[in-house]
């Protein structure tokens, strides 16, 4: 096992990256290989670390060299996708287990090469005594399973939209609607996965335009998701449409919604940017005119 020393700047940067990584988990930023990624531009790190860009690049390279970070180029003028790698911890290492993990005070870390993916987040690593618990459906009667599912579906809007990192980035109204059309938690998760996949695919189609949907910060988009779901369920009950594949129809419906919302969002950003530039030009012209007259 290799023990590697890293600088204090790298330790601070790793803590910042880990915090952003937790935000990605909550918002299900997952690539096509089921790996969790996040975006943290050099400009953001420069501001938070109070360093020049050359220093920030050097820090990120240091984290890459010790196996704690991987960067993936996404094209011209596109921010890199960042992937955290899991350090191997021993009892002698001191870690702060909170919303972010920081390296121990000595700056030592055990190097591994394991990328985080959505299935690798072990939430029971501190509770090994529960390893023998078995909650498979074989251990419950059909009546018990039905009651369990009913309880989870009934309260889905409460525990699926909590503020912790495992919460789904939907408004409670969306989860409440899904629970009316689902018989068990797996079906609710299936709905959620299809919606998030549609969002991911639209984002990837518009990478060159820097289009991202931050559900936590866009209540209008949250409302549109709920409205689109209601139109979808209405179509299922309508006699006018012959829908053969419900999952595919939901994906297409949601993808079209994200496309339309994204187009409107890009248009608004374009108008705002150009109006701001025009105001700046007008102010500059006025300043030059005043200087000329004086």
């Amino acid at each position: 096992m290799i023990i590697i020393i890293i600088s204090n700047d790298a330790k601070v940067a790793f803590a910042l990256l880990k915090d952003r990584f937790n935000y990605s988990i909550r918002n299900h930023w997952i690539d096509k290989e089921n790996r969790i990624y996040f975006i943290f531009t050099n400009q953001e790190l420069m501001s938070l670390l109070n360093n020049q860009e050359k220093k920030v690049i050097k820090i990120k390279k240091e984290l890459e060299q010790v196996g704690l970070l991987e960067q993936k180029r996404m094209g011209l003028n596109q921010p890199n996708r960042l992937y955290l790698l899991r350090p191997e911890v021993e009892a002698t290492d001191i870690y702060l287990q909170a919303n972010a993990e920081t390296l121990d005070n000595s700056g030592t870390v055990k190097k591994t090469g394991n990328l985080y993916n959505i299935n690798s987040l072990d939430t029971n690593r501190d509770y090994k005594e529960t390893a023998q618990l078995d909650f498979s459906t074989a251990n419950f009667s059909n009546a018990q399973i039905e009651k369990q599912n009913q309880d989870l579906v009934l309260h889905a809007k409460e525990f699926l939209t909590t503020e912790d990192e495992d919460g789904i980035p939907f408004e409670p109204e969306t989860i409440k609607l899904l629970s009316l059309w689902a018989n068990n938690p797996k079906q609710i998760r299936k709905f959620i996965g299809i919606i998030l996949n549609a969002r991911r695919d639209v984002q990837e189609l518009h990478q060159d335009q820097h289009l991202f949907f931050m559900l936590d910060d866009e209540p209008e988009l949250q409302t549109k998701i709920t409205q689109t779901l209601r139109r979808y369920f209405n179509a299922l009950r309508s006699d006018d449409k012959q829908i053969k594949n419900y999952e595919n129809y939901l994906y297409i419906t949601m993808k079209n919604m994200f496309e339309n919302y994204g187009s409107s969002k890009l248009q608004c950003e374009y108008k705002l940017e150009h109006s701001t530039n025009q105001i700046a030009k007008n102010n500059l012209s006025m300043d030059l005119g005043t200087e000329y007259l004086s």
Side-chain angles (χ1 to χ4, degrees), residues 242-259:
Q242 298 297 323
I243 302 171
K244 297 181 179 179
N245 189 320
Y246 297 129
E247 294 181 10
N248 187 56
Y249 186 72
L250 175 60
Y251 172 82
I252 293 173
T253 301
M254 284 296 168
K255 188 175 180 182
N256 289 338
M257 184 276 295
F258 281 115
E259 283 279 8

Side-chain angles (χ1 to χ4, degrees), residues 153-192:
V153 170
L154 179 63
H155 297 284
K157 68 180 186 300
E158 300 166 12
F159 70 83
L160 283 181
T161 55
T162 55
E163 294 299 324
D164 59 32
E165 64 184 37
D166 295 324
I168 302 299
F170 290 158
E171 62 180 3
E173 183 68 17
T174 302
I175 303 300
K176 179 181 177 182
L177 175 59
L178 291 176
S179 68
L180 293 175
W181 289 81
N183 292 321
N184 55 63
K186 286 186 178 179
Q187 290 183 353
I188 294 178
R189 289 283 183 177
K190 186 70 173 181
F191 280 124
I192 292 170

Side-chain angles (χ1 to χ4, degrees), residues 5-14 49 59 62 104-107:
I5 307 298
I6 66 173
S7 65
N8 287 331
D9 287 336
K11 287 190 288 182
V12 173
F14 183 81
L49 296 174
I59 291 171
E62 182 181 355
D104 68 329
N105 292 331
S106 67

Side-chain angles (χ1 to χ4, degrees), residues 2-21:
I2 302 172
I3 298 179
I4 299 171
I5 307 298
I6 66 173
S7 65
N8 287 331
D9 287 336
K11 287 190 288 182
V12 173
F14 183 81
L16 293 172
L17 296 176
K18 186 65 169 61
D19 188 59
R20 182 65 60 88
F21 166 81

Side-chain angles (χ1 to χ4, degrees), residues 26-171:
R26 182 181 175 190
N27 284 275
H28 286 68
W29 283 47
I30 305 167
D31 65 15
K32 291 184 177 180
E33 297 177 2
N34 211 31
R35 302 186 305 172
I36 302 166
Y37 73 91
F38 59 99
I39 293 173
F40 214 134
T41 65
N42 287 346
Q43 286 71 27
E44 289 179 288
L45 282 173
M46 286 165 57
S47 176
L48 292 171
L49 296 174
N50 195 27
N51 282 318
Q52 298 297 319
E53 186 170 19
K54 287 184 178 180
K55 178 66 173 179
V56 167
I57 292 174
K58 182 179 178 181
I59 291 171
K60 290 169 73 176
K61 286 290 185 183
E62 182 181 355
L63 291 174
E64 283 187 286
Q65 290 171 358
V66 299
L68 290 176
L69 179 68
E70 179 180 311
Q71 300 189 74
K72 182 178 179 181
R73 294 185 180 276
M74 301 306 299
L76 185 64
N77 296 324
Q78 294 295 309
N80 290 347
R81 281 187 179 179
L82 304 181
Y83 299 84
L84 279 191
L85 286 83
R86 288 175 287 166
E88 187 175 311
V89 188
E90 289 187 347
T92 54
D93 295 319
I94 302 173
Y95 276 73
L96 300 179
Q97 301 292 337
N99 287 334
E101 293 178 357
T102 57
L103 299 179
D104 68 329
N105 292 331
S106 67
T108 63
V109 59
K110 308 301 182 296
K111 181 178 179 180
T112 65
N114 297 320
L115 278 171
Y116 282 99
N117 59 53
I118 198 63
N119 298 316
S120 69
L121 302 177
D122 182 8
T123 57
N124 287 320
R125 58 183 178 271
D126 295 325
Y127 301 94
K128 294 182 179 180
E129 67 275 12
T130 66
Q132 300 302 315
L133 290 177
D134 184 359
F135 295 104
S136 62
T137 54
N139 295 322
F140 299 93
S141 68
N142 290 335
Q144 287 176 309
I145 294 172
E146 183 178 356
K147 286 183 179 180
Q148 291 167 353
N149 286 337
Q150 286 176 349
D151 178 78
L152 291 173
V153 170
L154 179 63
H155 297 284
K157 68 180 186 300
E158 300 166 12
F159 70 83
L160 283 181
T161 55
T162 55
E163 294 299 324
D164 59 32
E165 64 184 37
D166 295 324
I168 302 299
F170 290 158
E171 62 180 3

Side-chain angles (χ1 to χ4, degrees), residues 180-231:
L180 293 175
W181 289 81
N183 292 321
N184 55 63
K186 286 186 178 179
Q187 290 183 353
I188 294 178
R189 289 283 183 177
K190 186 70 173 181
F191 280 124
I192 292 170
I194 292 172
I195 296 170
L196 294 177
N197 285 342
R199 179 189 70 165
R200 178 201 64 197
D201 291 345
V202 172
Q203 286 182 160
E204 291 185 350
L205 284 173
H206 297 278
Q207 287 180 2
D208 58 332
Q209 297 173 290
H210 303 278
L211 179 62
F212 296 102
F213 302 110
M214 306 296 291
L215 298 182
D216 283 349
D217 299 326
E218 299 185 70
E220 181 182 354
L221 178 56
Q222 296 270 10
T223 300
K224 285 188 176 295
I225 291 173
T226 306
Q227 292 172 344
T228 303
L229 274 173
R230 285 200 169 97
R231 286 196 295 270

